[in-house]
Amino acid sequence: MSSPETTSRAAGSTASTGSTDPRPAGTGHERLTPSAGGDGFRSSWAQLDGPVHIVDFGGPADGPLLLCVHGLGGSYLNWLPLAPLLTTTHRVMAVDLAGHGRTPAAGRRTDVLANQGLLDRFLAEVLDTPPILVGNSMGGMISVMQAARRPDSVAGLILVDPALPRPRGVRPDPEIARIFAGLFIPRLGAAVLARRRTRFTPRELVDQSLVRLTADPGSIPESALAAMERAQRERGGLPDADQAFVGAARSVVWSLLRPAPLAHMVRTVPQPTLLLHGSADRLIPVAVARNVAAQRPDWRVEILDGLGHVPMLEAAELTAGLMADWLGREGREAAERARRPTTPAAPALTPLPAVGS
């Protein structure tokens, strides 16, 4: 989960290029269309009962495919510092879930179950190989759900501070609990989010959220801060953005308050898995990761000392190094399964024009 102020949703269709291969990996190429303007990497839209924004950070065309799935209130921007550190050996992509980033709700639900269904369609209709899902927070929860329900669609899991059930006796951070409790009051949550945008600048909102998300807000690269600030500005132009966030947030909380189904998935998910978790995470206590480690001795669980909820932003090099080590060791079989077919099942897309940020 991310705190409400990190929500980043963009009006319109902007993005662009920078990949070594002109084709996003997928059989549903006819569903993919380019967009204009952007951040110096390839971006496309898939039509899945509405537009879905996809970013291709690049990497070898035949490299194992990593698909990044952001957390509550996040977007592809959460992976900006991490992705370039992995693209020398892996193909790295990111998807914006409904009601997040540049993917509008467009009449679709934005709760966890609906977005897991959207991810399932994306894997089935757009990609031509089962990827390794890299999920942070809510994205980790959704990735576990996808891997458990459709195991053939996922080669492996890399979970970064995933939103998973707390063990008994572990209480949430009081401030975080108060913030999310407010989202359950009818009409209050969205109103508070809207009011905060009139009281604080986009950069102030970003800075405030990073106090809760990170152990050291000063560790976030300026380039990532600038992108998050821009996303805050864009978000203010979408009238339904706050309602979409509230709907997603409520569903995450309900999934954690009624943990039996999710806990069963954690115990039984079959894919090789790496779990990274910051020891100073205020949103998802580190006790969650330690509890998972006891239940799943076959998983590699790394506790990241002194880091918060978004280590891929706080310590991108450390996070990338641990991921690369796992991919070359315990996750090697998953990485091989995540390689694209030698002969793609669908025709190539026309290359997109290169547009820098």
Side-chain angles (χ1 to χ4, degrees):
M1 292 186 291
S2 300
S3 53
E5 293 80 20
T6 63
T7 314
S8 58
R9 304 170 181 83
S13 56
T14 58
S16 76
T17 75
S19 169
T20 58
D21 188 322
R23 300 167 295 183
T27 59
H29 291 305
E30 69 281 356
R31 293 180 175 273
L32 290 166
T33 56
S35 56
D39 301 281
F41 42 74
R42 182 177 307 284
S43 182
S44 301
W45 295 95
Q47 291 298 323
L48 301 171
D49 294 330
V52 175
H53 180 236
I54 309 130
V55 165
D56 188 342
F57 291 105
D62 61 349
L65 177 60
L66 309 180
L67 179 66
C68 301
V69 187
H70 60 77
L72 177 65
S75 74
Y76 74 95
L77 294 170
N78 294 90
W79 309 104
L80 287 180
L82 177 73
L85 303 177
L86 297 167
T87 51
T88 55
T89 53
H90 295 78
R91 186 70 174 270
V92 184
M93 299 176 68
V95 59
D96 283 349
L97 300 172
H100 290 72
R102 292 172 172 168
T103 299
R108 296 169 292 194
R109 296 190 350 249
T110 60
D111 58 86
V112 165
L113 289 178
N115 267 317
Q116 187 259 314
L118 183 65
L119 176 63
D120 184 53
R121 286 194 61 188
F122 179 79
L123 298 180
E125 299 178 32
V126 177
L127 299 188
D128 57 13
T129 192
I132 294 173
L133 294 180
V134 183
N136 171 237
S137 193
M138 179 187 76
M141 174 189 287
I142 289 174
S143 295
V144 168
M145 293 168 61
Q146 179 66 29
R149 291 174 171 170
R150 295 290 297 275
D152 290 343
S153 70
V154 178
L157 293 172
I158 298 177
L159 306 175
V160 184
D161 292 68
L164 298 177
R166 295 192 311 271
R168 289 183 179 180
V170 176
R171 302 183 66 83
D173 180 283
E175 181 187 4
I176 302 301
R178 176 182 57 80
I179 290 172
F180 282 92
L183 297 176
F184 281 81
I185 301 174
R187 296 183 295 277
L188 177 63
V192 169
L193 294 177
R195 186 164 60 249
R196 288 182 61 79
R197 285 198 303 276
T198 67
R199 295 180 56 196
F200 301 103
T201 67
R203 184 56 175 260
E204 288 172 336
L205 291 173
V206 170
D207 290 342
Q208 291 168 15
S209 69
L210 290 176
V211 169
R212 289 184 283 274
L213 291 171
T214 69
D216 178 14
S219 66
I220 307 300
E222 181 58 37
S223 59
L225 291 173
M228 294 168 73
E229 180 181 359
R230 186 195 67 222
Q232 278 289 343
R233 296 184 188 279
E234 294 173 337
R235 174 179 175 267
L238 288 183
D240 296 330
D242 295 332
Q243 289 85 346
F245 175 87
V246 170
R250 288 174 175 173
S251 72
V252 171
V253 173
W254 277 122
S255 295
L256 296 178
L257 290 177
R258 299 171 177 174
L262 186 58
H264 177 73
M265 292 177 190
V266 171
R267 291 191 300 268
T268 59
V269 67
Q271 292 84 354
T273 300
L274 168 67
L275 193 158
L276 307 176
H277 206 109
S279 66
D281 190 340
R282 294 177 60 194
L283 278 80
I284 305 297
V286 69
V288 169
R290 295 192 172 112
N291 184 54
V292 170
Q295 295 181 11
R296 295 299 306 254
D298 56 318
W299 288 15
R300 178 169 166 182
V301 177
E302 297 277 358
I303 305 301
L304 309 184
D305 188 42
L307 296 182
H309 189 61
V310 285
M312 69 283 192
L313 289 172
E314 275 190 277
E317 291 189 4
L318 173 64
T319 303
L322 290 170
M323 289 173 59
D325 185 70
W326 178 81
L327 288 162
R329 295 173 184 266
E330 300 96 328
R332 179 175 300 204
E333 181 179 346
E336 288 303 314
R337 187 175 171 221
R339 290 186 184 276
R340 294 184 63 194
T342 304
T343 304
L349 285 176
T350 302
L352 307 185
V355 182
S357 57

